[in-house]
Amino acid sequence: MTGIKKVASLAGVSTATVSRVINKNQNVSEEKRLRVQKVLDELNYEVNYHAKSLREMRTGMLLFIVTNISNPFYAEIVKGAEEYAKTKNYNVLVCNGYSDRDIERKYFKFIENKLVDGAFIMDLAIEKDFLKDFSVKYPIIQCSEFYDDIGVPFVSIDHEKAAFEATSYLLETGFEKIFYVQTYGDFIFDKLRLAGYKRALAKFGRPFDERLIIKTDFNYSGGINAAKQILKSKIKKAGIFTVSDMIAISMVNYLNYKNVKIPENYSVIGFDDIELCNATYPGITTIHQPRIKIGKEACKLLINRILKLNTSNTIQNKFLPHKLIKRGTTF
């Protein structure tokens, strides 16, 4: 295998400059970078990542714990993380937590046993105190789903504000009653969105009515079940704010099957803005989350923690902007 000294000699630069080019360090002039890259290409130079990781005591692997990767929402965030990780010569290992505390604890062993260098976590079934203590020893970033009081950095959107805006929009379009469809799971984002829903009701002078809270499963069939519950309520006209697009999509499909007029009788707003929102009729009005951006920013924070590039003691939390995307399920 070609050595780094030979590359430096042929390119007329120092071995340190070659190393910076290989590791995509920005502190290299464009002229030198092109010269080194030309030699690397001519020699078919390949980095020995195993030897490199042994020298640096790093694996080059990042762990990403999601609830279930089959959900398009999680897949897009992982994609963003992978895109950024590649620019820093890292790979991402994705594991499903299924909101199971015992499964998540097993994955955290990967970090303790130095099989990965750090982890993103989107599935917070793990105990808050455990996560707080663990993060003191190992690099951890919370992604989308987060505890805001344990000193562990996170990247997300403002779920409460987004829910407030969605509910307010339904109220502004003239509906007296607004259903909120949430999940059976104990998700932090669900609680934050419920708080935003309640704040909007209070702003418009509407009382909170527990009967308008619909609980269902966090999947496609959950939307059908929620639609059936709403139809049984005998409320003929209402706004419906759902905790996810998957629920909203299946709900709209079922209401169409029952010949219910949308948005005239029921206006529906989802959450996430997955691609399938355009695959149903009418298209789903929803809250857009910048999923690729969330993944990239979370990955950047995690790698910075691994490399100890954040020299300050401040926790670098990031709220990214969301947006209400209006389509055919609302006026």
Side-chain angles (χ1 to χ4, degrees):
M1 179 179 286
T2 301
I4 195 170
K5 289 183 179 179
K6 182 176 181 179
V7 175
S9 176
L10 291 173
V13 298
S14 67
T15 55
T17 297
V18 176
S19 179
R20 283 195 288 270
V21 172
I22 290 172
N23 291 296
K24 296 181 172 59
N25 190 304
Q26 301 301 312
N27 296 323
V28 181
S29 71
E30 184 66 8
E31 185 269 332
K32 287 184 178 180
R33 188 189 69 78
L34 291 173
R35 233 162 64 208
V36 171
Q37 191 60 57
K38 184 174 183 292
V39 174
L40 291 172
D41 293 341
E42 289 173 350
L43 297 176
N44 293 317
Y45 183 89
E46 293 183 3
V47 180
N48 186 335
Y49 287 109
H50 179 65
K52 184 173 184 289
S53 66
L54 287 176
R55 288 195 305 272
E56 299 177 353
M57 296 299 290
R58 289 198 293 269
T59 67
M61 294 294 296
L62 308 175
L63 176 66
F64 211 136
I65 305 174
V66 302
T67 303
N68 190 333
I69 196 61
S70 65
N71 187 323
F73 171 71
Y74 297 120
E76 287 285 287
I77 292 180
V78 170
K79 180 181 178 182
E82 286 179 325
E83 288 179 359
Y84 185 83
K86 287 177 183 176
T87 69
K88 301 298 180 182
N89 294 322
Y90 277 87
N91 293 300
V92 177
L93 173 65
V94 183
C95 295
N96 291 318
Y98 300 115
S99 297
D100 186 305
R101 186 173 297 169
D102 293 333
I103 291 176
E104 287 186 11
R105 276 186 173 273
K106 290 178 182 178
Y107 292 147
F108 275 98
K109 289 289 184 183
F110 290 7
I111 309 175
E112 290 180 314
N113 294 330
K114 301 190 184 305
L115 300 176
V116 297
D117 297 327
F120 317 87
I121 181 164
M122 291 186 69
D123 188 23
L124 293 179
I126 205 76
E127 303 95 326
K128 182 190 289 190
D129 289 341
F130 174 88
L131 189 62
K132 180 179 180 180
D133 293 341
F134 197 89
S135 70
V136 174
K137 302 176 184 176
Y138 305 102
I140 300 289
I141 297 293
Q142 300 178 99
C143 191
S144 186
E145 177 83 335
F146 62 91
Y147 297 115
D148 63 0
D149 59 350
I150 61 173
V152 180
F154 64 80
V155 179
S156 188
I157 67 164
D158 189 332
H159 294 280
E160 192 275 345
K161 183 179 179 183
F164 171 80
E165 292 171 1
T167 307
S168 294
Y169 182 71
L170 291 171
L171 290 164
E172 287 167 356
T173 55
F175 289 102
E176 291 293 322
K177 296 184 181 298
I178 311 294
F179 286 97
Y180 175 57
V181 181
Q182 61 177 178
T183 70
Y184 289 122
D186 188 28
F187 295 102
I188 296 170
F189 66 76
D190 202 347
K191 296 173 182 176
L192 292 170
R193 293 173 196 175
L194 178 60
Y197 164 84
K198 289 180 176 180
R199 182 160 70 93
L201 293 179
K203 178 187 175 183
F204 283 79
R206 307 290 169 78
F208 174 71
D209 187 346
E210 191 71 43
R211 293 170 297 179
L212 298 179
I213 305 300
I214 305 295
K215 289 186 178 291
T216 193
D217 293 314
F218 198 6
N219 52 33
Y220 188 87
S221 61
I224 296 173
N225 176 54
K228 289 178 178 178
Q229 292 183 60
I230 288 172
L231 291 176
K232 284 182 180 179
S233 73
K234 305 300 182 183
I235 297 174
K236 300 300 183 183
K237 293 190 70 172
I240 305 171
F241 173 45
T242 70
V243 76
S244 82
D245 287 336
M246 290 302 293
I247 291 174
I249 290 166
S250 57
M251 175 180 290
V252 167
N253 287 341
Y254 185 80
L255 293 174
N256 281 334
Y257 169 72
K258 289 294 185 177
N259 296 314
V260 175
K261 290 183 179 180
I262 300 172
E264 292 83 359
N265 287 32
Y266 294 118
S267 280
V268 181
I269 296 182
F271 209 106
D272 295 334
D273 195 25
I274 63 174
E275 288 188 11
L276 288 173
C277 286
N278 288 305
T280 188
Y281 182 82
I284 305 296
T285 294
T286 186
I287 295 292
H288 171 77
Q289 292 203 63
R291 300 181 300 282
I292 296 291
K293 181 75 169 176
I294 289 172
K296 286 183 176 180
E297 289 296 324
C299 190
K300 182 178 180 180
L301 282 182
L302 181 58
I303 291 175
N304 285 350
R305 282 177 70 83
I306 291 169
L307 301 179
K308 296 181 171 58
L309 297 182
N310 176 25
T311 56
S312 71
N313 292 321
T314 58
I315 301 299
Q316 296 178 308
N317 300 325
K318 287 196 175 183
F319 280 113
L320 300 182
H322 60 271
K323 183 179 180 181
L324 177 64
I325 304 296
K326 299 172 186 176
R327 298 191 179 98
T329 55
T330 57
F331 291 107

Short mmCIF file of all heavy atoms in Angstrom, two decimals, residues 178-183 190 194 197-198 201 208-216 229:
data_model
loop_
_atom_site.label_atom_id
_atom_site.label_comp_id
_atom_site.label_asym_id
_atom_site.label_seq_id
_atom_site.Cartn_x
_atom_site.Cartn_y
_atom_site.Cartn_z
N ILE A 178 -62.10 21.36 17.87
CA ILE A 178 -60.85 20.86 17.31
C ILE A 178 -60.47 19.58 18.04
O ILE A 178 -60.25 19.59 19.25
CB ILE A 178 -59.70 21.88 17.43
CG1 ILE A 178 -60.13 23.26 16.93
CG2 ILE A 178 -58.47 21.36 16.69
CD1 ILE A 178 -60.42 23.35 15.46
N PHE A 179 -60.39 18.48 17.30
CA PHE A 179 -59.89 17.23 17.86
C PHE A 179 -58.35 17.25 17.85
O PHE A 179 -57.74 17.82 16.94
CB PHE A 179 -60.34 16.03 17.03
CG PHE A 179 -61.79 15.65 17.19
CD1 PHE A 179 -62.73 16.10 16.27
CD2 PHE A 179 -62.20 14.85 18.24
CE1 PHE A 179 -64.07 15.75 16.40
CE2 PHE A 179 -63.53 14.49 18.39
CZ PHE A 179 -64.47 14.94 17.46
N TYR A 180 -57.77 16.65 18.87
CA TYR A 180 -56.33 16.40 18.85
C TYR A 180 -56.12 14.90 18.93
O TYR A 180 -56.56 14.24 19.88
CB TYR A 180 -55.61 17.08 20.01
CG TYR A 180 -54.13 16.74 20.07
CD1 TYR A 180 -53.30 16.99 18.98
CD2 TYR A 180 -53.55 16.16 21.19
CE1 TYR A 180 -51.96 16.67 19.00
CE2 TYR A 180 -52.20 15.84 21.24
CZ TYR A 180 -51.41 16.10 20.14
OH TYR A 180 -50.07 15.77 20.17
N VAL A 181 -55.47 14.34 17.91
CA VAL A 181 -55.23 12.90 17.85
C VAL A 181 -53.80 12.63 18.30
O VAL A 181 -52.83 13.04 17.63
CB VAL A 181 -55.45 12.36 16.43
CG1 VAL A 181 -55.20 10.84 16.41
CG2 VAL A 181 -56.87 12.67 15.95
N GLN A 182 -53.65 11.97 19.44
CA GLN A 182 -52.32 11.67 19.97
C GLN A 182 -52.13 10.16 20.07
O GLN A 182 -53.02 9.38 19.74
CB GLN A 182 -52.14 12.33 21.34
CG GLN A 182 -53.09 11.88 22.40
CD GLN A 182 -52.81 12.50 23.76
OE1 GLN A 182 -53.52 12.27 24.71
NE2 GLN A 182 -51.78 13.32 23.87
N THR A 183 -50.95 9.74 20.51
CA THR A 183 -50.63 8.32 20.55
C THR A 183 -50.74 7.77 21.97
O THR A 183 -50.78 8.52 22.95
CB THR A 183 -49.20 8.07 20.04
OG1 THR A 183 -48.27 8.58 21.00
CG2 THR A 183 -48.97 8.75 18.71
N ASP A 190 -45.26 14.55 21.95
CA ASP A 190 -46.72 14.47 22.03
C ASP A 190 -47.23 15.39 23.14
O ASP A 190 -48.22 16.12 22.98
CB ASP A 190 -47.12 13.02 22.32
CG ASP A 190 -48.55 12.72 21.91
OD1 ASP A 190 -49.31 13.67 21.64
OD2 ASP A 190 -48.92 11.54 21.85
N LEU A 194 -49.54 18.73 22.67
CA LEU A 194 -50.80 18.88 23.41
C LEU A 194 -50.82 20.22 24.13
O LEU A 194 -51.85 20.90 24.17
CB LEU A 194 -50.95 17.73 24.41
CG LEU A 194 -52.20 17.78 25.30
CD1 LEU A 194 -53.48 17.76 24.46
CD2 LEU A 194 -52.20 16.64 26.31
N TYR A 197 -51.62 22.86 21.60
CA TYR A 197 -53.06 22.75 21.29
C TYR A 197 -53.89 23.46 22.36
O TYR A 197 -54.78 24.26 22.05
CB TYR A 197 -53.41 21.26 21.20
CG TYR A 197 -54.88 20.91 21.25
CD1 TYR A 197 -55.67 20.94 20.10
CD2 TYR A 197 -55.48 20.50 22.44
CE1 TYR A 197 -57.01 20.59 20.14
CE2 TYR A 197 -56.80 20.14 22.49
CZ TYR A 197 -57.57 20.19 21.34
OH TYR A 197 -58.91 19.84 21.38
N LYS A 198 -53.57 23.22 23.61
CA LYS A 198 -54.31 23.84 24.71
C LYS A 198 -54.11 25.36 24.72
O LYS A 198 -55.05 26.12 24.99
CB LYS A 198 -53.87 23.24 26.05
CG LYS A 198 -54.31 21.81 26.28
CD LYS A 198 -53.82 21.31 27.64
CE LYS A 198 -54.33 19.90 27.94
NZ LYS A 198 -53.85 19.41 29.26
N LEU A 201 -56.35 26.94 22.13
CA LEU A 201 -57.75 26.96 22.59
C LEU A 201 -57.96 28.13 23.54
O LEU A 201 -58.96 28.86 23.44
CB LEU A 201 -58.11 25.64 23.28
CG LEU A 201 -58.16 24.37 22.42
CD1 LEU A 201 -58.50 23.17 23.30
CD2 LEU A 201 -59.21 24.50 21.30
N PHE A 208 -61.02 23.68 27.13
CA PHE A 208 -60.42 22.38 26.82
C PHE A 208 -61.43 21.29 27.13
O PHE A 208 -62.01 21.24 28.22
CB PHE A 208 -59.15 22.17 27.64
CG PHE A 208 -58.56 20.79 27.50
CD1 PHE A 208 -57.95 20.41 26.32
CD2 PHE A 208 -58.64 19.88 28.55
CE1 PHE A 208 -57.41 19.14 26.17
CE2 PHE A 208 -58.09 18.61 28.41
CZ PHE A 208 -57.48 18.24 27.22
N ASP A 209 -61.67 20.39 26.18
CA ASP A 209 -62.64 19.31 26.32
C ASP A 209 -61.92 17.98 26.13
O ASP A 209 -61.46 17.65 25.04
CB ASP A 209 -63.75 19.47 25.29
CG ASP A 209 -64.89 18.46 25.49
OD1 ASP A 209 -64.70 17.49 26.24
OD2 ASP A 209 -65.96 18.66 24.88
N GLU A 210 -61.81 17.22 27.22
CA GLU A 210 -61.10 15.93 27.19
C GLU A 210 -61.70 14.98 26.15
O GLU A 210 -61.00 14.12 25.60
CB GLU A 210 -61.16 15.29 28.58
CG GLU A 210 -60.26 14.08 28.74
CD GLU A 210 -58.77 14.44 28.78
OE1 GLU A 210 -58.43 15.42 29.47
OE2 GLU A 210 -57.98 13.74 28.13
N ARG A 211 -62.98 15.16 25.85
CA ARG A 211 -63.64 14.27 24.88
C ARG A 211 -63.13 14.47 23.46
O ARG A 211 -63.35 13.63 22.59
CB ARG A 211 -65.16 14.48 24.92
CG ARG A 211 -65.83 14.04 26.22
CD ARG A 211 -67.27 14.49 26.29
NE ARG A 211 -67.37 15.97 26.27
CZ ARG A 211 -68.52 16.62 26.31
NH1 ARG A 211 -69.67 15.94 26.35
NH2 ARG A 211 -68.53 17.95 26.30
N LEU A 212 -62.45 15.58 23.23
CA LEU A 212 -61.91 15.85 21.89
C LEU A 212 -60.47 15.35 21.73
O LEU A 212 -59.85 15.55 20.68
CB LEU A 212 -61.95 17.35 21.60
CG LEU A 212 -63.35 17.99 21.58
CD1 LEU A 212 -63.26 19.48 21.31
CD2 LEU A 212 -64.24 17.31 20.54
N ILE A 213 -59.95 14.69 22.77
CA ILE A 213 -58.62 14.09 22.69
C ILE A 213 -58.78 12.62 22.30
O ILE A 213 -59.40 11.84 23.03
CB ILE A 213 -57.87 14.20 24.03
CG1 ILE A 213 -57.80 15.66 24.47
CG2 ILE A 213 -56.47 13.61 23.89
CD1 ILE A 213 -57.10 16.58 23.49
N ILE A 214 -58.26 12.26 21.15
CA ILE A 214 -58.38 10.90 20.63
C ILE A 214 -57.03 10.21 20.76
O ILE A 214 -56.01 10.71 20.26
CB ILE A 214 -58.80 10.91 19.16
CG1 ILE A 214 -60.10 11.71 18.96
CG2 ILE A 214 -58.95 9.48 18.63
CD1 ILE A 214 -61.31 11.12 19.64
N LYS A 215 -56.99 9.07 21.42
CA LYS A 215 -55.76 8.29 21.54
C LYS A 215 -55.78 7.11 20.58
O LYS A 215 -56.82 6.45 20.42
CB LYS A 215 -55.58 7.79 22.97
CG LYS A 215 -55.25 8.89 23.98
CD LYS A 215 -54.95 8.30 25.34
CE LYS A 215 -54.56 9.38 26.35
NZ LYS A 215 -53.26 9.99 26.03
N THR A 216 -54.64 6.87 19.93
CA THR A 216 -54.58 5.78 18.97
C THR A 216 -53.14 5.30 18.83
O THR A 216 -52.23 5.85 19.44
CB THR A 216 -55.13 6.25 17.60
OG1 THR A 216 -55.34 5.10 16.77
CG2 THR A 216 -54.19 7.23 16.92
N GLN A 229 -63.37 6.69 15.69
CA GLN A 229 -63.76 7.31 16.96
C GLN A 229 -64.40 8.68 16.74
O GLN A 229 -65.39 9.03 17.39
CB GLN A 229 -62.53 7.46 17.87
CG GLN A 229 -61.95 6.15 18.39
CD GLN A 229 -60.79 6.40 19.34
OE1 GLN A 229 -60.95 7.04 20.38
NE2 GLN A 229 -59.61 5.91 18.99
#
